[in-house]
Amino acid sequence: MPEKNNTEYKNIPDEELISRFQNDDNDAFKEIVMRYKDRIVNFLFRFTGNKESAEDLSQDTFLKLYKNKHRYSEIAKFSTWLYTIALNEAKSNYRKEKKLKTFSINDYYDEGHGDYQLKSEDILPDEEANSGNEAFYIQRAIDSLIKKHREVILLRDVQELDYAEIAKILKVPLGTVRSRLNRARESLKITLENIHKQKKIRY
Amino acid sequence: MNDEEKNNEISDLLRSLPKVKAGEDFMQRLEMKIADFESGQNAVVKSNAERESFLDRIFGMMKNPWLVPAAGIAVAAVFVFYIFNFNKNEIRNDKDPVKIEGEKNIDRINPGQNDMPPPDAKENNQISVPGAVEEPENLKNKNRGTSSQNNESQIKINTGRTESQQVIQEKPEIIDGAVMEGRDEDADGGEMKAAPQEKTGLYKKEDAGKDKINIESPDRTGGPETSVPSELSTGDTAKKSESDSLMKSNRISKKNLDSLKKKIDK
């Protein structure tokens, strides 16, 4: 993207950019991608726990935005609309992976490998050595949360969106967002405490 | 202490997590995906346009309005021609069974009148015998009463042959298995009768030639014209018995005739 365009679009609000993109201004689309790509990748990485999946899903999110640009109307904030797309992508990917896991276990059993041990939720020593820091444990704790708790805690505490916006993205009342967020935090706290206990026992 | 403050630690912990950034080639990859999507979309649009243009070329946008009724008439003409052509063959196939049906009615009116020998029998039996002498009138009358004994091989049936029998003649192989009822001794003047099937009429041509059978007409009014060859009239008993059995084999029952008609219908 040319430097000239960067400066030109820098101070334009999101809603104006999408409006220009709807009028076939592809530079406006590029500016949107530049603004949101890191945020979306980060959100999806925290949701999936996998960097590659997060990048692929982010690209799919922007591709959907490109395909469905005319569906956006200025009733909602642009970021709300974009996060909704990203979250839907993440959810559909989650469902696919869940199906894939179920089938892979069956396939393994059918192939005559005998007993199959499901992956333990405990942190394995080699994983711990690779992680090297606290972020790894937190991510493991996030991964262990149920989907509803995970999405609300990520939107609020990682992406720092306001309650009203979260309520619109999740399509639930504001009170539900609050209560769900509290339960998610408590659950995460308990999980982290358990992880720390395990660490103490190990060392 | 509200809920936010209660779990402040967790919130701070999550906010302190390192931010993951998109890869350097993120934009290029996205552009490639968009280009793929656009080319795919163009291909779909192009194929749709081609399809539309094909229809447009013929009838579209009232370019050639006369083509619509013309095409309709052409299709109708082809359809009608096909139907007629098809039915023509059907009628041809049905023609003979119709005649046979008509003949059945005649049978009902004059039962036994149409009980004819099998056409192959006729064909085979009409082998002219050189030196065969026509029976004199007095001998004819004499033989009338005892026809079953010595004259059966020489019955001539000239009348009463209908088209159905001609049809039968055309298919002599079907006649195999039919039995001709012989002349009743008590009947007046050699009237043919339907009889239960005795034996399949495996008529042999060589036998026919040998015995010089000539079946042509069941003359209802004056009795059959029966010509007795000179050998039989002299009382050659061996040949007579042979000819008797041969005549039995030529008899056809009405039942069998009906079954043959059905076969022909099929």
Side-chain angles (χ1 to χ4, degrees):
Chain A
M1 196 180 287
E3 196 63 34
K4 189 185 163 187
N5 277 346
N6 254 343
T7 51
E8 189 189 328
Y9 288 102
K10 213 173 181 181
N11 299 319
I12 297 173
D14 297 342
E15 286 72 26
E16 175 62 23
L17 281 174
I18 186 70
S19 175
R20 285 191 186 192
F21 176 48
Q22 282 172 339
N23 294 318
D24 296 330
D25 183 353
N26 282 339
D27 290 334
F29 173 71
K30 283 176 185 172
E31 177 60 28
I32 290 166
V33 175
M34 295 304 286
R35 269 186 206 182
Y36 281 95
K37 64 175 184 176
D38 289 339
R39 276 189 263 180
I40 297 292
V41 167
N42 187 49
F43 168 65
L44 290 169
F45 169 69
R46 294 296 169 201
F47 193 91
T48 59
N50 186 304
K51 179 82 190 294
E52 282 177 19
S53 295
E55 285 227 356
D56 286 342
L57 290 172
S58 303
Q59 292 205 335
D60 290 345
T61 303
F62 286 112
L63 191 65
K64 269 200 172 177
L65 166 67
Y66 186 88
K67 288 179 189 173
N68 304 300
K69 60 182 176 184
H70 294 293
R71 286 196 183 179
Y72 172 76
S73 59
E74 278 193 38
I75 299 164
K77 253 174 100 176
F78 173 73
S79 60
T80 308
W81 188 57
L82 190 62
Y83 273 109
T84 308
I85 296 170
L87 188 66
N88 287 339
E89 285 291 312
K91 281 178 182 175
S92 65
N93 181 64
Y94 177 82
R95 279 194 292 270
K96 274 181 204 168
E97 280 189 352
K98 210 175 171 182
K99 263 187 186 176
L100 210 69
K101 272 180 190 173
T102 312
F103 284 118
S104 68
I105 291 167
N106 289 339
D107 292 346
Y108 192 89
Y109 188 80
D110 290 342
E111 280 169 19
H113 291 273
D115 296 332
Y116 179 79
Q117 283 190 333
L118 289 167
K119 195 179 175 184
S120 169
E121 288 299 317
D122 296 337
I123 295 157
L124 300 171
D126 55 336
E127 281 182 342
E128 195 180 352
N130 289 334
S131 65
N133 57 30
E134 186 71 13
F136 173 78
Y137 299 109
I138 297 169
Q139 184 60 49
R140 284 301 302 261
I142 292 168
D143 291 346
S144 70
L145 292 174
I146 61 167
K147 198 174 72 188
K148 280 180 183 177
H149 289 173
R150 204 190 308 173
E151 62 196 20
V152 76
I153 209 166
L154 290 175
L155 288 170
R156 176 63 193 160
D157 292 337
V158 177
Q159 299 304 121
E160 299 178 27
L161 301 179
D162 58 47
Y163 284 100
E165 209 171 345
I166 294 166
K168 278 183 182 173
I169 292 165
L170 299 178
K171 295 180 186 82
V172 291
L174 212 64
T176 309
V177 173
R178 286 181 194 279
S179 61
R180 204 179 274 179
L181 185 64
N182 280 331
R183 267 180 270 145
R185 282 171 177 162
E186 278 171 16
S187 180
L188 190 68
K189 197 177 177 181
I190 292 162
T191 311
L192 280 170
E193 280 171 2
N194 286 338
I195 288 169
H196 284 297
K197 272 181 196 171
Q198 275 185 21
K199 272 169 74 180
K200 278 176 189 173
I201 291 163
R202 203 167 285 162
Y203 299 104
Chain B
M1 195 176 172
N2 65 10
D3 293 334
E4 281 284 330
E5 289 164 0
K6 209 163 59 179
N7 292 311
N8 252 351
E9 276 178 47
I10 295 293
S11 297
D12 292 341
L13 200 66
L14 289 171
R15 280 184 191 123
S16 69
L17 279 171
K19 304 285 178 194
V20 176
K21 290 189 175 180
E24 285 178 5
D25 61 339
F26 185 87
M27 199 66 204
Q28 283 88 30
R29 280 166 60 202
L30 181 61
E31 278 173 353
M32 276 171 65
K33 279 188 178 180
I34 288 167
D36 283 349
F37 164 71
E38 295 250 310
S39 62
Q41 207 178 29
N42 286 342
V44 170
V45 169
K46 202 179 172 185
S47 66
N48 284 340
E50 276 170 8
R51 257 181 247 155
E52 282 170 9
S53 68
F54 171 73
L55 291 171
D56 281 346
R57 252 180 272 158
I58 303 168
F59 301 115
M61 304 299 285
M62 298 300 280
K63 282 177 191 169
N64 301 313
W66 54 270
L67 255 178
V68 178
I73 288 165
V75 167
V78 167
F79 181 73
V80 167
F81 174 75
Y82 174 76
I83 293 293
F84 268 90
N85 212 26
F86 180 76
N87 286 338
K88 205 174 163 185
N89 295 333
E90 288 289 308
I91 289 160
R92 228 179 260 161
N93 291 336
D94 290 345
K95 204 174 176 181
D96 293 337
V98 166
K99 284 184 178 176
I100 288 164
E101 194 64 37
E103 193 187 328
K104 276 180 186 173
N105 295 333
I106 294 164
D107 286 348
R108 271 177 226 137
I109 295 159
N110 298 314
Q113 205 167 14
N114 286 324
D115 291 345
M116 290 292 139
D120 62 340
K122 197 222 167 188
E123 279 173 37
N124 295 324
N125 293 334
Q126 272 181 343
I127 301 162
S128 60
V129 183
V133 183
E134 186 134 0
E135 197 185 9
E137 195 61 32
N138 59 351
L139 201 62
K140 275 185 199 172
N141 294 331
K142 196 180 177 183
N143 288 331
R144 202 171 286 164
T146 57
S147 58
S148 62
Q149 291 167 4
N150 53 8
N151 293 337
E152 281 170 349
S153 62
Q154 293 292 322
I155 296 165
K156 270 193 175 181
I157 303 163
N158 291 323
T159 58
R161 186 174 295 280
T162 56
E163 284 178 61
S164 68
Q165 283 155 349
Q166 283 168 5
V167 172
I168 294 165
Q169 268 187 339
E170 285 164 15
K171 297 179 178 180
E173 71 278 0
I174 302 168
I175 299 303
D176 291 348
V179 179
M180 273 292 288
E181 171 65 14
R183 192 178 294 174
D184 198 327
E185 280 186 24
D186 302 328
D188 55 336
E191 199 174 272
M192 303 293 282
K193 250 190 179 178
Q197 192 171 340
E198 296 170 2
K199 199 190 172 212
T200 52
L202 296 169
Y203 186 83
K204 290 176 184 174
K205 281 187 179 183
E206 55 267 31
D207 291 344
K210 198 164 63 181
D211 294 321
K212 301 157 188 134
I213 298 165
N214 203 346
I215 304 166
E216 279 187 353
S217 85
D219 197 343
R220 308 285 177 237
T221 51
E225 273 181 33
T226 315
S227 62
V228 182
S230 56
E231 309 97 85
L232 287 176
S233 60
T234 53
D236 190 347
T237 51
K239 283 199 174 181
K240 201 172 86 181
S241 63
E242 213 177 323
S243 67
D244 282 349
S245 65
L246 196 66
M247 196 55 215
K248 276 179 187 174
S249 70
N250 283 332
R251 285 167 197 167
I252 188 163
S253 69
K254 197 176 181 182
K255 271 185 189 174
N256 287 323
L257 190 65
D258 288 341
S259 71
L260 287 173
K261 281 173 186 175
K262 279 175 190 172
K263 278 182 186 175
I264 291 159
D265 285 352
K266 279 178 190 174

